[in-house]
Amino acid sequence: MAIAVNGKADLHTHTTASDGTQPPAANVRLAKEAGLAAIAITDHDTMAGVEEAIAEGERIGITVVPGVELSTVAEGRDIHILGYYTDWRAALWQERLAGLRSTRDQRNDMIVERLVQLGVSITMDEVIHAAAMEGAGDDKGKGGGPDRAAGKTIGRPHIAAVLLNKGVVSSMKEAFDLYLAEGAAAYVNPPRLHPFEAIEWIKEAGGTSVIAHPGLYGDDELVETIIQRGIEGIEAYHSDHDTEAEARYVAMAERHGLLVTGGSDYHGERQGKVFHGAIGSRTVDADVLQQLDKRARA
Ligand SMILES: [Zn+2]
Ligand SMILES: [Zn+2]
């Protein structure tokens, strides 16, 4: 498929393939409605939503960028590494993504266990149910509902949703602040992929690596270390970056000769509120796609 070079691209969105609330095709339609030339699907540790998105993109005429957001940990900190245009059907790459997902499941079990120890009445079944119910109304007759949970990624937002439904907390934010955020009471972080490894995996899968939302780590020294290890781009534009952070990371990218990317980090809506940002609320010029797609350059 031809790559869009004119117009705007939102290079960071989540779908029901991970912890977003909208199916992949819906993200693509929202991007079209927002007047974008391209949209990336970047679910956590899975590319299961990419095929559906590409098909919808071809149908309605918008470029879909195959992507993924890898969960990694460095110095006890959650670091997200975006991978674009990996050969997403390659067996080794798929195997590696599956490994990351099983670590994530293990982590969910540990968080639920910790919550129970803290006196909160919650079970993993309730979390799985919360994930399954989400977005179930969006694609009736297409495997929506509980069945869909089998292939989707369950994460902290689903645990937060259960806490909210049970009245343990009064908002998603409170669920994170009190229990789920880094350093909060039920936060656990089992051994996981290091960002340096993620960079290598993405390279080996033929893709381009980008450090996601560096402003959220509060540690530019660590960001610089990751740059030294071969990251190819910086997500300077993100819903949780202010203009000062945007300028700082654009400058950092320039200093190191790296690509500048950006995106909304759209996760759909929860309780009528857009999580992170709406599709198209953060964009970059679509001509960056030519740099992200190594095969197009070859
Ligand atoms: Zn992220
Ligand atoms: Zn994200």
Side-chain angles (χ1 to χ4, degrees):
M1 187 171 61
I3 284 189
V5 286
N6 296 313
K8 296 285 180 188
D10 183 337
L11 294 177
H12 193 157
T13 76
H14 294 269
T15 77
T16 45
S18 64
D19 58 351
T21 64
Q22 300 289 326
N27 279 26
V28 176
R29 287 192 293 272
L30 286 168
K32 180 84 177 173
E33 281 163 30
L36 304 183
I39 177 173
I41 303 295
T42 54
D43 279 304
H44 298 288
D45 305 326
T46 180
M47 296 185 76
V50 166
E51 196 157 6
E52 175 186 320
I54 287 177
E56 185 67 3
E58 281 171 356
R59 194 178 73 80
I60 64 174
I62 177 169
T63 298
V64 171
V65 177
V68 68
E69 183 172 25
L70 300 183
S71 315
T72 77
V73 173
E75 298 169 20
R77 220 174 264 285
D78 281 317
I79 306 288
H80 289 170
I81 304 291
L82 294 158
Y84 294 105
Y85 289 105
T86 54
D87 180 3
W88 47 283
R89 293 184 190 88
L92 175 61
W93 171 242
Q94 284 296 341
E95 222 170 86
R96 285 170 162 173
L97 292 179
L100 291 180
R101 291 194 296 275
S102 80
T103 305
R104 181 182 271 256
D105 291 345
Q106 197 188 327
R107 181 193 197 189
N108 291 331
D109 287 337
M110 289 166 79
I111 293 173
V112 167
E113 220 168 279
R114 185 75 66 91
L115 283 166
V116 170
Q117 284 166 7
L118 290 166
V120 176
S121 148
I122 183 171
T123 66
M124 202 56 212
D125 275 353
E126 290 170 330
V127 177
I128 292 166
H129 186 76
M133 283 301 109
E134 187 170 80
D138 296 323
D139 54 353
K140 290 185 188 76
K142 271 184 57 199
D147 289 351
R148 208 181 165 96
K152 80 180 282 177
T153 312
I154 295 168
R156 285 179 294 168
H158 301 118
I159 298 173
V162 173
L163 296 178
L164 182 58
N165 285 339
K166 292 189 150 206
V168 175
V169 293
S170 58
S171 67
M172 295 291 283
K173 186 181 181 304
E174 192 184 327
F176 274 86
D177 288 350
L178 289 182
Y179 295 110
L180 302 173
E182 192 172 329
Y187 179 81
V188 290
N189 221 352
R192 291 199 302 174
L193 186 69
H194 194 279
F196 299 170
E197 274 177 288
I199 292 168
E200 287 306 311
W201 285 12
I202 291 165
K203 191 193 282 174
E204 285 172 28
T208 300
S209 58
V210 171
I211 184 164
H213 42 64
L216 299 191
Y217 310 135
D219 189 346
D220 280 359
E221 228 170 277
L222 181 56
V223 174
E224 293 273 1
T225 310
I226 292 167
I227 290 171
Q228 297 309 328
R229 289 297 285 256
I231 202 96
E232 292 159 276
I234 301 183
E235 187 181 53
Y237 301 100
H238 183 271
S239 299
D240 301 326
H241 282 178
D242 57 21
T243 48
E244 187 276 327
E246 285 174 3
R248 191 164 83 248
Y249 292 114
V250 167
M252 193 183 278
E254 276 169 8
R255 217 160 45 240
H256 294 281
L258 302 179
L259 301 172
V260 172
T261 73
S264 59
D265 211 353
Y266 179 74
H267 277 72
E269 290 182 15
R270 285 200 169 80
Q271 280 82 40
K273 264 187 70 182
V274 176
F275 221 50
H276 295 290
I279 284 178
S281 59
R282 291 292 186 287
T283 59
V284 286
D285 288 336
D287 59 11
V288 74
L289 301 195
Q290 288 179 304
Q291 268 86 55
L292 291 173
D293 186 354
K294 296 197 163 87
R295 272 169 293 269
R297 266 187 283 161

